[in-house]
Amino acid sequence: QAIYLGLLALSLNLLVATTGLISFGHAMFFALGAYMVAVPFHEDLKILENPLFAFAITPVIGAVSGLVIGLVVFRGKELYFALLTLGAGQLIWAIIHGWQSLTGGTNGRPGVFAAEFLNPFTHGNQLYWFIFGIAFVCAVMLYLITKSPFGDALRAIRENRLRAEFAGLNAKRYELTAFVIAGMFGSIAGGLQVIGETQINSDIVDWQRSALALIAL
């Protein structure tokens, strides 16, 4: 559980520490990644036989949703941005909570088992190392992003937005890109939670998850 939350906090770190943007609704990406894994696997649908196939799509769903949501929330400035992310997060939670036939609502979607070698009841150690390995790779990638010229540009925007724009940086484009990347890794964290816990419900993807990520960060 610490690994899931840690990866979620690291993805949020790209926004808060590197870019200087406070998001109160980052758990929305965690939720989208989690349900991307849980819903297609459920016995009512059985779109996929193995949730690992859906897990491979979580970065895509995180990036696409980050782009769409980002185009909306970046219309707000400073404090309004934070409140808009909170509103977007609560909207997604409300859809997940209310769409009982698809997400299961409060009851959620239980029994999401990956391949046999990742079954938590028979191969707990292998499941742990799988989750740890994915999170470690993501952490390294986030570290490299923050240390790259792209990360330097984000810090320049954080320190003095006007000066960065005078230097030729398109601040909005850089911030939106950071938001998309953060959403991508946040969704991966949500997918890992479902694979590790074998279940998901709406109660663990509400605003409190976003608050926990901020506290951990």
Side-chain angles (χ1 to χ4, degrees), residues 63-147:
V64 172
S65 60
L67 177 62
V68 174
I69 296 169
L71 291 173
V72 176
V73 299
F74 275 105
R75 297 177 67 88
K77 298 289 186 180
E78 298 175 354
L79 179 60
Y80 294 105
F81 170 82
L83 293 177
L84 284 172
T85 58
L86 176 61
Q90 287 301 99
L91 176 62
I92 290 176
W93 173 84
I95 293 172
I96 291 172
H97 184 75
W99 199 346
Q100 296 279 339
S101 60
L102 183 68
T103 66
T106 305
N107 294 326
R109 292 299 191 192
V112 183
F113 292 101
E116 180 64 26
F117 73 97
L118 293 180
N119 190 307
F121 299 105
T122 56
H123 300 289
N125 289 337
Q126 291 174 200
L127 174 67
Y128 171 82
W129 287 114
F130 172 80
I131 293 171
F132 178 87
I134 296 293
F136 179 77
V137 170
C138 291
V140 171
M141 292 175 66
L142 283 165
Y143 175 80
L144 294 176
I145 290 170
T146 58
K147 296 301 180 182

Side-chain angles (χ1 to χ4, degrees), residues 5 10 12 23 36 45 53 61 64 76 78 87 90 95 105 117 149 166 187 197 216:
L5 182 60
L10 283 176
L12 182 58
S23 174
M36 180 69 243
L45 298 175
F53 298 142
I61 193 70
V64 172
E78 298 175 354
Q90 287 301 99
I95 293 172
F117 73 97
F166 280 145
S187 292
E197 303 292 327

Side-chain angles (χ1 to χ4, degrees), residues 195-214:
I195 291 174
E197 303 292 327
T198 71
Q199 61 182 340
I200 188 75
N201 64 70
S202 61
D203 290 341
I204 65 172
V205 292
D206 60 4
W207 65 269
Q208 296 181 53
R209 176 70 55 159
S210 297
L212 280 173
L214 276 171

Side-chain angles (χ1 to χ4, degrees), residues 145-166:
I145 290 170
T146 58
K147 296 301 180 182
S148 68
F150 175 75
D152 293 335
L154 293 179
R155 281 186 287 273
I157 295 169
R158 179 197 66 194
E159 294 299 325
N160 193 316
R161 182 187 182 90
L162 189 59
R163 183 184 299 170
E165 290 178 337
F166 280 145

